[in-house]
Amino acid sequence: MMPYLGKSLLSAILVTAFAFTSALSAEETSGGQLSEEQELAIKQELSKYAVLGQQQILHLTQQAIEEYSDTLTDPVPNMPSAWMLLEDGTTIKRIDLDGQAEEAPAQLRILMYRAALKSVARRGKIHATAILYTGKLREDSEDEALVIEYEHRLGIAGNKVIPYQIENGKVAYGEPVTSEKPFQIFYDSRADTTGNAN
């Protein structure tokens, strides 16, 4: 079970970082540089939050994949779906846009999910998001892949592409490939702030 962090997760991180910086600034070595011990202490504290963020992303994406896998075996074309990890750090909720997006194509639904998640995230109500959809592994191939766009408010954002096949009515997943992606939900990417983003 994930630990409860409440509404002030980001505030707690900032206060901790500020407290470390304030405490360590009084102990700076000559020349204004931090000692090796001080740098190590800061890195160890920040790594705890990185591990927590990774655990929560894993918790979220595992449940999302489990729920979405059933749609992969349907004869009906797969449509995107989205999930969010609430501020308690454990509760996962699926977003329902079906009433608003019945006739919308998959690409438009992805944009709608991003907008909905961004609205909730900017109000501090969630810690992580995942949008799942399918596509061709390559343009010249019939091989299918499950794509997971995920983000966490602790500064984690990425895409996971998982090849899959349907074997005897069940989904068989291949080796996933993970890559970084720009922030779209919790924060604006640098490209967004300069006006160069799509």
Coordinates of all heavy atoms in Angstrom, one line a residue, residues 3 8 17 19 27 52 69 73 82 96 103 113 117 134 141 153 156 169:
P3 N 2.0 5.0 0.8 CA 1.8 5.9 2.0 C 0.9 7.1 1.6 O 0.9 7.6 0.5 CB 3.2 6.4 2.3 CG 4.0 6.2 1.1 CD 3.4 5.1 0.4
S8 N -0.6 18.2 0.4 CA 0.6 19.0 0.4 C 1.8 18.3 0.0 O 2.9 18.6 0.5 CB 0.7 19.7 1.7 OG 0.8 18.7 2.7
A17 N 13.3 20.6 0.8 CA 14.4 21.1 0.1 C 14.9 22.5 0.6 O 16.1 22.7 0.8 CB 14.1 21.3 -1.4
A19 N 14.4 23.6 3.7 CA 15.0 23.3 5.0 C 16.5 22.8 4.9 O 17.4 23.2 5.6 CB 14.2 22.4 5.8
E27 N 26.3 25.9 7.0 CA 27.5 25.0 7.2 C 28.3 24.9 5.9 O 29.1 24.0 5.7 CB 27.0 23.6 7.6 CG 26.2 23.5 8.8 CD 25.6 22.1 9.0 OE1 26.1 21.2 8.4 OE2 24.7 22.0 9.9
L52 N 9.3 7.1 -4.6 CA 7.9 7.2 -4.3 C 7.1 7.4 -5.6 O 6.1 6.8 -5.9 CB 7.6 8.2 -3.3 CG 6.1 8.4 -3.0 CD1 5.4 7.2 -2.4 CD2 5.9 9.6 -2.1
S69 N -6.8 -4.1 -20.8 CA -6.5 -5.4 -21.6 C -7.7 -6.0 -22.1 O -7.7 -6.6 -23.2 CB -5.7 -6.3 -20.7 OG -4.4 -5.9 -20.5
T73 N -9.1 -7.5 -26.7 CA -9.6 -8.7 -27.3 C -11.0 -8.6 -28.0 O -11.5 -9.5 -28.6 CB -9.7 -9.9 -26.3 OG1 -10.5 -9.4 -25.2 CG2 -8.3 -10.2 -25.7
A82 N -8.4 6.8 -19.9 CA -7.5 7.5 -19.0 C -7.8 7.2 -17.6 O -9.0 6.9 -17.2 CB -7.5 9.0 -19.2
D96 N -14.3 9.0 -17.3 CA -15.4 8.7 -18.2 C -15.7 9.9 -19.1 O -16.3 10.8 -18.6 CB -16.6 8.2 -17.5 CG -17.7 7.7 -18.4 OD1 -17.5 7.6 -19.6 OD2 -18.8 7.6 -17.9
E103 N -18.9 10.3 -30.6 CA -18.5 10.3 -32.0 C -17.1 10.7 -32.3 O -16.6 10.8 -33.4 CB -19.5 11.2 -32.8 CG -20.9 10.8 -32.7 CD -21.2 9.4 -33.2 OE1 -20.7 9.0 -34.2 OE2 -22.0 8.7 -32.5
Y113 N -8.8 13.8 -23.1 CA -8.3 13.3 -21.8 C -7.2 14.1 -21.2 O -7.2 14.4 -20.0 CB -7.8 11.9 -22.0 CG -8.9 10.8 -22.0 CD1 -9.0 9.9 -23.1 CD2 -9.9 10.7 -21.0 CE1 -10.0 9.0 -23.1 CE2 -10.9 9.8 -21.0 CZ -10.9 8.9 -22.1 OH -11.9 7.9 -22.1
L117 N -7.5 15.9 -17.6 CA -6.5 15.6 -16.6 C -5.7 16.8 -16.2 O -5.4 17.0 -15.0 CB -5.5 14.5 -17.1 CG -6.2 13.1 -17.2 CD1 -5.2 12.2 -18.0 CD2 -6.5 12.5 -15.8
T134 N -4.1 2.3 -28.4 CA -3.4 1.4 -29.2 C -3.0 2.0 -30.6 O -3.6 3.0 -31.0 CB -4.2 0.1 -29.5 OG1 -5.4 0.5 -30.1 CG2 -4.5 -0.6 -28.2
S141 N 3.7 -1.9 -40.8 CA 3.5 -3.2 -40.1 C 2.1 -3.3 -39.6 O 1.4 -2.3 -39.3 CB 4.5 -3.3 -38.9 OG 4.2 -4.4 -38.1
R153 N 3.3 14.2 -10.6 CA 3.6 15.6 -10.2 C 5.0 15.8 -9.7 O 5.5 16.9 -9.5 CB 2.5 16.1 -9.2 CG 2.7 15.7 -7.8 CD 1.8 16.5 -6.9 NE 0.4 16.7 -7.3 CZ -0.1 17.9 -7.9 NH1 0.7 18.9 -8.0 NH2 -1.3 17.9 -8.2
I156 N 8.0 13.3 -13.2 CA 8.2 12.1 -14.1 C 7.2 12.1 -15.2 O 6.0 12.3 -15.0 CB 7.9 10.8 -13.2 CG1 8.8 10.7 -12.0 CG2 8.1 9.6 -14.1 CD1 8.5 9.7 -11.0
G169 N -7.5 -15.8 -27.7 CA -8.4 -14.9 -27.0 C -7.8 -14.2 -25.8 O -8.5 -13.5 -25.1

